[in-house]
Amino acid sequence: MPCRRPREFATRLTPQLESTPLARTVLRAYLAGMPQGQRFADVGKLILGELFANAVRHGDAPPDRLIEIRFAVTTGRLRLEVHDAGTGRPTLQPSTAPDDEHGRGLFLVNELSERWGCCPRAGGIGKFVWALITPAPVFTDLTLDRTPKLVPA
């Protein structure tokens, strides 16, 4: 009997910045089991880390509320979701000064994802931020401008 992999995964993590690497690790493990999952890994981990960290840093939810992450590969795209019980909605800020160490997270999400947005959660408590990610191109010798060399017989 063939092994079937889940199409969607969800888990809840504590609302601490220390949970951000765990969120990325869970995504990496999920993608490792998916056909062509590695094509989403680099951008997916970056975007998930930014969305999760934003939920922790800017969330106004009570400290006992967990943050839920969900992801699925459907129709050739990776869909990431970060759910929290906070009321604030993320907004893309104008560009930051070159020396600023913060404020670039949503800029990266906006630039690296196909689309992203924020929606209220079912039941009216909190919100979720989602992003759709297209797969990275497959690099071959031809895309690296290497042409096969013919050896004379």
PDB file of all heavy atoms in Angstrom, residues 46-76:
ATOM      1  N   LEU A  46      11.751  31.586   4.935  1.00  0.00           N
ATOM      2  CA  LEU A  46      11.941  33.017   5.180  1.00  0.00           C
ATOM      3  C   LEU A  46      10.604  33.705   5.450  1.00  0.00           C
ATOM      4  O   LEU A  46      10.453  34.429   6.443  1.00  0.00           O
ATOM      5  CB  LEU A  46      12.640  33.670   3.991  1.00  0.00           C
ATOM      6  CG  LEU A  46      12.847  35.176   4.096  1.00  0.00           C
ATOM      7  CD1 LEU A  46      13.812  35.510   5.222  1.00  0.00           C
ATOM      8  CD2 LEU A  46      13.350  35.737   2.788  1.00  0.00           C
ATOM      9  N   ILE A  47       9.620  33.456   4.594  1.00  0.00           N
ATOM     10  CA  ILE A  47       8.325  34.112   4.757  1.00  0.00           C
ATOM     11  C   ILE A  47       7.623  33.634   6.018  1.00  0.00           C
ATOM     12  O   ILE A  47       7.073  34.445   6.774  1.00  0.00           O
ATOM     13  CB  ILE A  47       7.454  33.907   3.507  1.00  0.00           C
ATOM     14  CG1 ILE A  47       8.054  34.724   2.355  1.00  0.00           C
ATOM     15  CG2 ILE A  47       6.008  34.302   3.763  1.00  0.00           C
ATOM     16  CD1 ILE A  47       7.355  34.561   1.039  1.00  0.00           C
ATOM     17  N   LEU A  48       7.631  32.336   6.284  1.00  0.00           N
ATOM     18  CA  LEU A  48       6.999  31.837   7.507  1.00  0.00           C
ATOM     19  C   LEU A  48       7.657  32.448   8.740  1.00  0.00           C
ATOM     20  O   LEU A  48       6.973  32.856   9.678  1.00  0.00           O
ATOM     21  CB  LEU A  48       7.063  30.308   7.570  1.00  0.00           C
ATOM     22  CG  LEU A  48       6.427  29.682   8.819  1.00  0.00           C
ATOM     23  CD1 LEU A  48       4.941  30.001   8.888  1.00  0.00           C
ATOM     24  CD2 LEU A  48       6.659  28.182   8.822  1.00  0.00           C
ATOM     25  N   GLY A  49       8.983  32.529   8.742  1.00  0.00           N
ATOM     26  CA  GLY A  49       9.687  33.137   9.870  1.00  0.00           C
ATOM     27  C   GLY A  49       9.282  34.587  10.083  1.00  0.00           C
ATOM     28  O   GLY A  49       9.074  35.021  11.216  1.00  0.00           O
ATOM     29  N   GLU A  50       9.155  35.342   9.002  1.00  0.00           N
ATOM     30  CA  GLU A  50       8.745  36.750   9.113  1.00  0.00           C
ATOM     31  C   GLU A  50       7.321  36.874   9.638  1.00  0.00           C
ATOM     32  O   GLU A  50       7.048  37.687  10.524  1.00  0.00           O
ATOM     33  CB  GLU A  50       8.863  37.453   7.753  1.00  0.00           C
ATOM     34  CG  GLU A  50      10.274  37.632   7.266  1.00  0.00           C
ATOM     35  CD  GLU A  50      11.116  38.540   8.150  1.00  0.00           C
ATOM     36  OE1 GLU A  50      10.550  39.367   8.902  1.00  0.00           O
ATOM     37  OE2 GLU A  50      12.346  38.417   8.106  1.00  0.00           O
ATOM     38  N   LEU A  51       6.406  36.084   9.093  1.00  0.00           N
ATOM     39  CA  LEU A  51       5.010  36.163   9.534  1.00  0.00           C
ATOM     40  C   LEU A  51       4.852  35.731  10.983  1.00  0.00           C
ATOM     41  O   LEU A  51       4.101  36.342  11.749  1.00  0.00           O
ATOM     42  CB  LEU A  51       4.106  35.333   8.622  1.00  0.00           C
ATOM     43  CG  LEU A  51       4.013  35.789   7.161  1.00  0.00           C
ATOM     44  CD1 LEU A  51       3.090  34.860   6.376  1.00  0.00           C
ATOM     45  CD2 LEU A  51       3.568  37.234   7.055  1.00  0.00           C
ATOM     46  N   PHE A  52       5.568  34.677  11.370  1.00  0.00           N
ATOM     47  CA  PHE A  52       5.482  34.207  12.756  1.00  0.00           C
ATOM     48  C   PHE A  52       6.069  35.252  13.708  1.00  0.00           C
ATOM     49  O   PHE A  52       5.459  35.586  14.726  1.00  0.00           O
ATOM     50  CB  PHE A  52       6.206  32.866  12.919  1.00  0.00           C
ATOM     51  CG  PHE A  52       5.910  32.214  14.237  1.00  0.00           C
ATOM     52  CD1 PHE A  52       4.849  31.344  14.365  1.00  0.00           C
ATOM     53  CD2 PHE A  52       6.684  32.484  15.359  1.00  0.00           C
ATOM     54  CE1 PHE A  52       4.557  30.751  15.596  1.00  0.00           C
ATOM     55  CE2 PHE A  52       6.410  31.897  16.581  1.00  0.00           C
ATOM     56  CZ  PHE A  52       5.340  31.029  16.703  1.00  0.00           C
ATOM     57  N   ALA A  53       7.233  35.771  13.380  1.00  0.00           N
ATOM     58  CA  ALA A  53       7.856  36.785  14.238  1.00  0.00           C
ATOM     59  C   ALA A  53       6.978  38.025  14.358  1.00  0.00           C
ATOM     60  O   ALA A  53       6.874  38.623  15.442  1.00  0.00           O
ATOM     61  CB  ALA A  53       9.240  37.149  13.709  1.00  0.00           C
ATOM     62  N   ASN A  54       6.323  38.421  13.269  1.00  0.00           N
ATOM     63  CA  ASN A  54       5.411  39.566  13.337  1.00  0.00           C
ATOM     64  C   ASN A  54       4.246  39.288  14.270  1.00  0.00           C
ATOM     65  O   ASN A  54       3.824  40.174  15.022  1.00  0.00           O
ATOM     66  CB  ASN A  54       4.883  39.916  11.947  1.00  0.00           C
ATOM     67  CG  ASN A  54       5.873  40.712  11.135  1.00  0.00           C
ATOM     68  OD1 ASN A  54       6.897  41.164  11.639  1.00  0.00           O
ATOM     69  ND2 ASN A  54       5.578  40.868   9.856  1.00  0.00           N
ATOM     70  N   ALA A  55       3.712  38.068  14.230  1.00  0.00           N
ATOM     71  CA  ALA A  55       2.605  37.717  15.130  1.00  0.00           C
ATOM     72  C   ALA A  55       3.041  37.806  16.589  1.00  0.00           C
ATOM     73  O   ALA A  55       2.276  38.240  17.456  1.00  0.00           O
ATOM     74  CB  ALA A  55       2.081  36.323  14.803  1.00  0.00           C
ATOM     75  N   VAL A  56       4.282  37.432  16.869  1.00  0.00           N
ATOM     76  CA  VAL A  56       4.796  37.502  18.242  1.00  0.00           C
ATOM     77  C   VAL A  56       5.061  38.956  18.630  1.00  0.00           C
ATOM     78  O   VAL A  56       4.617  39.427  19.677  1.00  0.00           O
ATOM     79  CB  VAL A  56       6.084  36.668  18.397  1.00  0.00           C
ATOM     80  CG1 VAL A  56       6.728  36.901  19.754  1.00  0.00           C
ATOM     81  CG2 VAL A  56       5.792  35.190  18.183  1.00  0.00           C
ATOM     82  N   ARG A  57       5.782  39.675  17.799  1.00  0.00           N
ATOM     83  CA  ARG A  57       6.206  41.039  18.134  1.00  0.00           C
ATOM     84  C   ARG A  57       5.055  42.034  18.193  1.00  0.00           C
ATOM     85  O   ARG A  57       5.030  42.907  19.044  1.00  0.00           O
ATOM     86  CB  ARG A  57       7.219  41.544  17.110  1.00  0.00           C
ATOM     87  CG  ARG A  57       8.592  41.022  17.282  1.00  0.00           C
ATOM     88  CD  ARG A  57       9.568  41.773  16.370  1.00  0.00           C
ATOM     89  NE  ARG A  57      10.863  41.160  16.452  1.00  0.00           N
ATOM     90  CZ  ARG A  57      11.431  40.463  15.481  1.00  0.00           C
ATOM     91  NH1 ARG A  57      10.818  40.311  14.334  1.00  0.00           N
ATOM     92  NH2 ARG A  57      12.610  39.924  15.654  1.00  0.00           N
ATOM     93  N   HIS A  58       4.149  41.937  17.236  1.00  0.00           N
ATOM     94  CA  HIS A  58       3.123  42.963  17.096  1.00  0.00           C
ATOM     95  C   HIS A  58       1.746  42.508  17.541  1.00  0.00           C
ATOM     96  O   HIS A  58       0.796  43.289  17.472  1.00  0.00           O
ATOM     97  CB  HIS A  58       3.069  43.438  15.640  1.00  0.00           C
ATOM     98  CG  HIS A  58       4.396  43.897  15.135  1.00  0.00           C
ATOM     99  ND1 HIS A  58       5.044  45.000  15.638  1.00  0.00           N
ATOM    100  CD2 HIS A  58       5.206  43.379  14.185  1.00  0.00           C
ATOM    101  CE1 HIS A  58       6.198  45.157  15.010  1.00  0.00           C
ATOM    102  NE2 HIS A  58       6.324  44.179  14.130  1.00  0.00           N
ATOM    103  N   GLY A  59       1.645  41.267  17.984  1.00  0.00           N
ATOM    104  CA  GLY A  59       0.350  40.755  18.412  1.00  0.00           C
ATOM    105  C   GLY A  59      -0.051  41.313  19.768  1.00  0.00           C
ATOM    106  O   GLY A  59       0.778  41.535  20.637  1.00  0.00           O
ATOM    107  N   ASP A  60      -1.341  41.557  19.920  1.00  0.00           N
ATOM    108  CA  ASP A  60      -1.852  42.054  21.194  1.00  0.00           C
ATOM    109  C   ASP A  60      -2.748  41.019  21.868  1.00  0.00           C
ATOM    110  O   ASP A  60      -3.586  41.343  22.689  1.00  0.00           O
ATOM    111  CB  ASP A  60      -2.603  43.370  20.987  1.00  0.00           C
ATOM    112  CG  ASP A  60      -3.773  43.247  20.017  1.00  0.00           C
ATOM    113  OD1 ASP A  60      -3.970  42.161  19.436  1.00  0.00           O
ATOM    114  OD2 ASP A  60      -4.490  44.243  19.839  1.00  0.00           O
ATOM    115  N   ALA A  61      -2.550  39.763  21.496  1.00  0.00           N
ATOM    116  CA  ALA A  61      -3.325  38.672  22.083  1.00  0.00           C
ATOM    117  C   ALA A  61      -2.830  38.392  23.495  1.00  0.00           C
ATOM    118  O   ALA A  61      -1.669  38.660  23.823  1.00  0.00           O
ATOM    119  CB  ALA A  61      -3.189  37.422  21.228  1.00  0.00           C
ATOM    120  N   PRO A  62      -3.694  37.841  24.334  1.00  0.00           N
ATOM    121  CA  PRO A  62      -3.239  37.431  25.667  1.00  0.00           C
ATOM    122  C   PRO A  62      -2.079  36.444  25.557  1.00  0.00           C
ATOM    123  O   PRO A  62      -2.013  35.657  24.607  1.00  0.00           O
ATOM    124  CB  PRO A  62      -4.476  36.748  26.273  1.00  0.00           C
ATOM    125  CG  PRO A  62      -5.631  37.267  25.477  1.00  0.00           C
ATOM    126  CD  PRO A  62      -5.110  37.565  24.112  1.00  0.00           C
ATOM    127  N   PRO A  63      -1.135  36.480  26.494  1.00  0.00           N
ATOM    128  CA  PRO A  63       0.073  35.641  26.385  1.00  0.00           C
ATOM    129  C   PRO A  63      -0.187  34.134  26.423  1.00  0.00           C
ATOM    130  O   PRO A  63       0.668  33.357  26.032  1.00  0.00           O
ATOM    131  CB  PRO A  63       0.926  36.080  27.569  1.00  0.00           C
ATOM    132  CG  PRO A  63       0.017  36.803  28.490  1.00  0.00           C
ATOM    133  CD  PRO A  63      -1.126  37.321  27.679  1.00  0.00           C
ATOM    134  N   ASP A  64      -1.376  33.716  26.866  1.00  0.00           N
ATOM    135  CA  ASP A  64      -1.660  32.283  26.908  1.00  0.00           C
ATOM    136  C   ASP A  64      -2.236  31.753  25.596  1.00  0.00           C
ATOM    137  O   ASP A  64      -2.474  30.564  25.456  1.00  0.00           O
ATOM    138  CB  ASP A  64      -2.614  31.964  28.059  1.00  0.00           C
ATOM    139  CG  ASP A  64      -3.974  32.619  27.891  1.00  0.00           C
ATOM    140  OD1 ASP A  64      -4.060  33.649  27.182  1.00  0.00           O
ATOM    141  OD2 ASP A  64      -4.956  32.120  28.484  1.00  0.00           O
ATOM    142  N   ARG A  65      -2.427  32.608  24.603  1.00  0.00           N
ATOM    143  CA  ARG A  65      -2.961  32.185  23.306  1.00  0.00           C
ATOM    144  C   ARG A  65      -1.827  31.721  22.403  1.00  0.00           C
ATOM    145  O   ARG A  65      -0.834  32.421  22.225  1.00  0.00           O
ATOM    146  CB  ARG A  65      -3.705  33.331  22.615  1.00  0.00           C
ATOM    147  CG  ARG A  65      -4.916  33.814  23.348  1.00  0.00           C
ATOM    148  CD  ARG A  65      -5.980  32.706  23.345  1.00  0.00           C
ATOM    149  NE  ARG A  65      -7.152  33.125  24.054  1.00  0.00           N
ATOM    150  CZ  ARG A  65      -8.325  33.336  23.481  1.00  0.00           C
ATOM    151  NH1 ARG A  65      -8.461  33.153  22.184  1.00  0.00           N
ATOM    152  NH2 ARG A  65      -9.343  33.716  24.199  1.00  0.00           N
ATOM    153  N   LEU A  66      -1.972  30.548  21.836  1.00  0.00           N
ATOM    154  CA  LEU A  66      -0.955  30.002  20.946  1.00  0.00           C
ATOM    155  C   LEU A  66      -1.092  30.593  19.544  1.00  0.00           C
ATOM    156  O   LEU A  66      -2.147  31.104  19.172  1.00  0.00           O
ATOM    157  CB  LEU A  66      -1.080  28.481  20.879  1.00  0.00           C
ATOM    158  CG  LEU A  66      -0.892  27.740  22.203  1.00  0.00           C
ATOM    159  CD1 LEU A  66      -1.139  26.248  22.011  1.00  0.00           C
ATOM    160  CD2 LEU A  66       0.472  27.997  22.780  1.00  0.00           C
ATOM    161  N   ILE A  67      -0.025  30.503  18.776  1.00  0.00           N
ATOM    162  CA  ILE A  67      -0.036  30.915  17.382  1.00  0.00           C
ATOM    163  C   ILE A  67      -0.085  29.645  16.538  1.00  0.00           C
ATOM    164  O   ILE A  67       0.708  28.733  16.731  1.00  0.00           O
ATOM    165  CB  ILE A  67       1.215  31.749  17.042  1.00  0.00           C
ATOM    166  CG1 ILE A  67       1.195  33.051  17.841  1.00  0.00           C
ATOM    167  CG2 ILE A  67       1.284  32.024  15.535  1.00  0.00           C
ATOM    168  CD1 ILE A  67       2.451  33.888  17.689  1.00  0.00           C
ATOM    169  N   GLU A  68      -1.034  29.615  15.628  1.00  0.00           N
ATOM    170  CA  GLU A  68      -1.190  28.442  14.768  1.00  0.00           C
ATOM    171  C   GLU A  68      -0.547  28.711  13.416  1.00  0.00           C
ATOM    172  O   GLU A  68      -0.711  29.788  12.850  1.00  0.00           O
ATOM    173  CB  GLU A  68      -2.667  28.123  14.575  1.00  0.00           C
ATOM    174  CG  GLU A  68      -2.900  26.873  13.739  1.00  0.00           C
ATOM    175  CD  GLU A  68      -4.352  26.480  13.690  1.00  0.00           C
ATOM    176  OE1 GLU A  68      -4.808  25.802  14.630  1.00  0.00           O
ATOM    177  OE2 GLU A  68      -5.023  26.859  12.717  1.00  0.00           O
ATOM    178  N   ILE A  69       0.193  27.724  12.934  1.00  0.00           N
ATOM    179  CA  ILE A  69       0.733  27.792  11.581  1.00  0.00           C
ATOM    180  C   ILE A  69       0.086  26.688  10.758  1.00  0.00           C
ATOM    181  O   ILE A  69      -0.156  25.593  11.265  1.00  0.00           O
ATOM    182  CB  ILE A  69       2.278  27.685  11.549  1.00  0.00           C
ATOM    183  CG1 ILE A  69       2.759  26.393  12.205  1.00  0.00           C
ATOM    184  CG2 ILE A  69       2.920  28.902  12.202  1.00  0.00           C
ATOM    185  CD1 ILE A  69       4.257  26.131  12.051  1.00  0.00           C
ATOM    186  N   ARG A  70      -0.199  26.997   9.504  1.00  0.00           N
ATOM    187  CA  ARG A  70      -0.767  26.017   8.581  1.00  0.00           C
ATOM    188  C   ARG A  70      -0.039  26.153   7.256  1.00  0.00           C
ATOM    189  O   ARG A  70       0.311  27.257   6.852  1.00  0.00           O
ATOM    190  CB  ARG A  70      -2.253  26.286   8.320  1.00  0.00           C
ATOM    191  CG  ARG A  70      -3.144  26.087   9.493  1.00  0.00           C
ATOM    192  CD  ARG A  70      -4.575  26.311   9.073  1.00  0.00           C
ATOM    193  NE  ARG A  70      -5.442  26.349  10.239  1.00  0.00           N
ATOM    194  CZ  ARG A  70      -6.742  26.520  10.189  1.00  0.00           C
ATOM    195  NH1 ARG A  70      -7.342  26.666   9.016  1.00  0.00           N
ATOM    196  NH2 ARG A  70      -7.447  26.539  11.289  1.00  0.00           N
ATOM    197  N   PHE A  71       0.155  25.040   6.605  1.00  0.00           N
ATOM    198  CA  PHE A  71       0.705  25.099   5.262  1.00  0.00           C
ATOM    199  C   PHE A  71       0.220  23.918   4.437  1.00  0.00           C
ATOM    200  O   PHE A  71      -0.104  22.866   4.971  1.00  0.00           O
ATOM    201  CB  PHE A  71       2.233  25.191   5.206  1.00  0.00           C
ATOM    202  CG  PHE A  71       2.972  24.598   6.361  1.00  0.00           C
ATOM    203  CD1 PHE A  71       3.291  23.262   6.388  1.00  0.00           C
ATOM    204  CD2 PHE A  71       3.373  25.395   7.415  1.00  0.00           C
ATOM    205  CE1 PHE A  71       3.992  22.722   7.443  1.00  0.00           C
ATOM    206  CE2 PHE A  71       4.073  24.858   8.483  1.00  0.00           C
ATOM    207  CZ  PHE A  71       4.389  23.531   8.494  1.00  0.00           C
ATOM    208  N   ALA A  72       0.172  24.170   3.134  1.00  0.00           N
ATOM    209  CA  ALA A  72      -0.262  23.145   2.188  1.00  0.00           C
ATOM    210  C   ALA A  72       0.325  23.476   0.827  1.00  0.00           C
ATOM    211  O   ALA A  72       0.498  24.649   0.484  1.00  0.00           O
ATOM    212  CB  ALA A  72      -1.783  23.101   2.102  1.00  0.00           C
ATOM    213  N   VAL A  73       0.627  22.430   0.073  1.00  0.00           N
ATOM    214  CA  VAL A  73       1.021  22.602  -1.320  1.00  0.00           C
ATOM    215  C   VAL A  73      -0.173  22.184  -2.155  1.00  0.00           C
ATOM    216  O   VAL A  73      -0.578  21.024  -2.126  1.00  0.00           O
ATOM    217  CB  VAL A  73       2.263  21.754  -1.677  1.00  0.00           C
ATOM    218  CG1 VAL A  73       2.566  21.866  -3.164  1.00  0.00           C
ATOM    219  CG2 VAL A  73       3.463  22.179  -0.851  1.00  0.00           C
ATOM    220  N   THR A  74      -0.759  23.151  -2.838  1.00  0.00           N
ATOM    221  CA  THR A  74      -1.908  22.890  -3.696  1.00  0.00           C
ATOM    222  C   THR A  74      -1.768  23.714  -4.962  1.00  0.00           C
ATOM    223  O   THR A  74      -1.250  24.828  -4.929  1.00  0.00           O
ATOM    224  CB  THR A  74      -3.234  23.258  -3.000  1.00  0.00           C
ATOM    225  OG1 THR A  74      -3.191  24.627  -2.613  1.00  0.00           O
ATOM    226  CG2 THR A  74      -3.497  22.393  -1.789  1.00  0.00           C
ATOM    227  N   THR A  75      -2.238  23.149  -6.034  1.00  0.00           N
ATOM    228  CA  THR A  75      -2.205  23.791  -7.354  1.00  0.00           C
ATOM    229  C   THR A  75      -0.851  24.420  -7.659  1.00  0.00           C
ATOM    230  O   THR A  75      -0.771  25.527  -8.188  1.00  0.00           O
ATOM    231  CB  THR A  75      -3.329  24.847  -7.510  1.00  0.00           C
ATOM    232  OG1 THR A  75      -3.140  25.896  -6.579  1.00  0.00           O
ATOM    233  CG2 THR A  75      -4.698  24.216  -7.321  1.00  0.00           C
ATOM    234  N   GLY A  76       0.217  23.722  -7.295  1.00  0.00           N
ATOM    235  CA  GLY A  76       1.556  24.183  -7.631  1.00  0.00           C
ATOM    236  C   GLY A  76       2.059  25.362  -6.818  1.00  0.00           C
ATOM    237  O   GLY A  76       3.045  25.991  -7.184  1.00  0.00           O
TER     238      GLY A  76
END
